[in-house]
Amino acid sequence: MSTKVVKTVAEVKEYVNQWKKDGLSIGLVPTMGYLHEGHASLIKRAVAENDRVIVSDFVNPIQFGVGEDLETYPRDLQADTALCDSIGADIIFNPEPSEMYPEGFSTHVDVEGITEVLCGKTRPTHFRGVCTVVSKLFNISQADRAYFGQKDAQQLAVVRRFVRDLNFNIQIVGCPIIREEDGLAKSSRNTYLSPEEKKAALVLSRSLSMGRKMIEDGEKSAKAVRDAIVSSIEKEPLAKIDYVEIVGWDSLEDVDEISGPVLAAVAVYVGKTRLIDNFITE
Ligand code: PAF
């Protein structure tokens, strides 16, 4: 079967009801489209682990803040469909905003605490938008498993938290970051970078690798690792730090001493483009 593009909630539900009747398992890969190899790795895993796979392809307006890139966010449904088809996904769910947020829409999912740190500091409404759309997608798809990249590590932690708190009956599968050969983490927003900025953007993965090595070599002070990452990034003239943080994984609480698993996360502007990257220790 080739991948079907589905535009309405009702139509997705028709497929899902039939699959459930047939006793088939369902995997969901939530995306905002403009799919790259990072998304492809999630879809491949979903296809390997489930009988049927839904890829949502929806640039979710309510997770963008004022002045962010909602209007310019790249879109290419034709290329996305071809990729999903080549991997074997069953459905691309590509609704209009009015299908997801009809007149009178007034319910949101708000996770406290862990949405107020890291990206939440400068994007205060972002995770409310993410959690609301992701909850809707879980309910529409009735998926057994949903696949999220570790590139958005805070998003992964936040989704796990509301799934636990609200007793959603779904397994959240976190998948590794996919990188270009030169180390740059794959992102739809990399298309905004000029060739010069793309080169400068390597400072993120380079500085994080250096921080990871410090920890592997026995450094226990979160401040020492953070300071080293900051000064490495500051050497790149095109880079402007939004944050560099080392927090507990997956509590996202501050740590002084590195004793358990930690998330080292950075958000850096390269030119006008805000990029994120991270690593998680065992
Ligand atoms: O990670 C993303 O692309 C988005 O935040 C998601 C999970 C698809 C929700 O819109």
Side-chain angles (χ1 to χ4, degrees):
M1 183 181 120
S2 57
T3 307
K4 296 262 183 308
V5 178
V6 173
K7 305 291 280 185
T8 66
V9 172
E11 211 187 329
V12 179
K13 284 190 169 175
E14 261 178 50
Y15 279 100
V16 166
N17 288 341
Q18 187 57 51
W19 293 341
K20 289 272 162 196
K21 251 193 226 153
D22 295 343
L24 301 175
S25 64
I26 300 172
L28 169 70
V29 184
T31 83
M32 295 207 299
Y34 212 69
L35 305 179
H36 51 68
E37 283 169 49
H39 298 111
S41 72
L42 306 181
I43 301 168
K44 279 181 195 154
R45 182 147 175 204
V47 166
E49 294 180 353
N50 300 276
D51 299 314
R52 295 288 181 266
V53 170
I54 301 174
V55 177
S56 66
D57 187 319
F58 177 59
V59 181
N60 175 34
I62 68 166
Q63 71 185 72
F64 287 77
V66 178
E68 290 186 357
D69 54 347
L70 172 61
E71 271 76 39
T72 55
Y73 196 85
R75 293 159 166 89
D76 190 344
L77 182 60
Q78 217 179 334
D80 293 350
T81 310
L83 182 80
C84 286
D85 202 29
S86 71
I87 300 173
D90 296 273
I91 283 179
I92 292 197
F93 177 43
N94 177 241
E96 291 300 320
S98 58
E99 177 73 7
M100 293 299 269
Y101 305 114
E103 194 65 27
F105 185 89
S106 54
T107 306
H108 295 87
V109 176
D110 240 323
V111 180
E112 293 168 358
I114 63 168
T115 57
E116 289 152 31
V117 296
L118 306 178
C119 290
K121 275 193 192 157
T122 48
R123 307 186 75 192
T125 56
H126 173 68
F127 288 109
R128 180 184 206 241
V130 169
C131 294
T132 301
V133 80
V134 168
S135 315
K136 285 173 68 74
L137 292 168
F138 288 173
N139 284 330
I140 294 164
S141 67
Q142 300 277 303
D144 299 279
R145 294 176 199 86
Y147 296 79
F148 291 86
Q150 187 203 299
K151 159 113 185 324
D152 295 296
Q154 184 173 16
Q155 171 171 279
L156 176 60
V158 168
V159 169
R160 285 209 169 120
R161 184 67 65 91
F162 85 70
V163 162
R164 187 200 72 180
D165 289 353
L166 298 181
N167 306 101
F168 273 83
N169 199 13
I170 189 164
Q171 185 193 339
I172 304 303
V173 183
C175 302
I177 299 177
I178 303 297
R179 297 181 180 280
E180 311 266 4
E181 256 172 44
D182 58 14
L184 182 65
K186 298 259 183 191
S187 164
S188 306
R189 288 190 170 102
N190 290 350
T191 53
Y192 299 152
L193 300 169
S194 70
E196 196 194 2
E197 289 170 342
K198 214 165 171 207
K199 226 159 133 200
L202 296 181
V203 75
L204 278 80
S205 54
R206 204 168 52 236
S207 307
L208 283 166
S209 296
M210 188 260 311
R212 185 198 275 270
K213 174 133 194 342
M214 284 174 75
I215 297 174
E216 282 166 2
D217 288 348
E219 181 57 68
K220 294 275 178 247
S221 161
K223 181 175 179 320
V225 178
R226 182 185 176 277
D227 288 353
I229 294 173
V230 167
S231 56
S232 166
I233 296 173
E234 281 177 348
K235 288 199 184 95
E236 170 50 63
L238 292 184
K240 192 172 148 279
I241 292 174
D242 179 359
Y243 67 75
V244 173
E245 301 281 356
I246 298 186
V247 293
W249 179 251
D250 53 4
S251 69
L252 308 192
E253 283 167 9
D254 282 340
V255 291
D256 293 328
E257 197 192 293
I258 301 171
S259 50
V262 291
L263 164 70
V266 304
V268 176
Y269 285 92
V270 177
K272 288 203 171 92
T273 308
R274 185 176 177 278
L275 300 173
I276 56 172
D277 200 350
N278 69 76
F279 67 83
I280 298 172
T281 64
E282 300 281 298

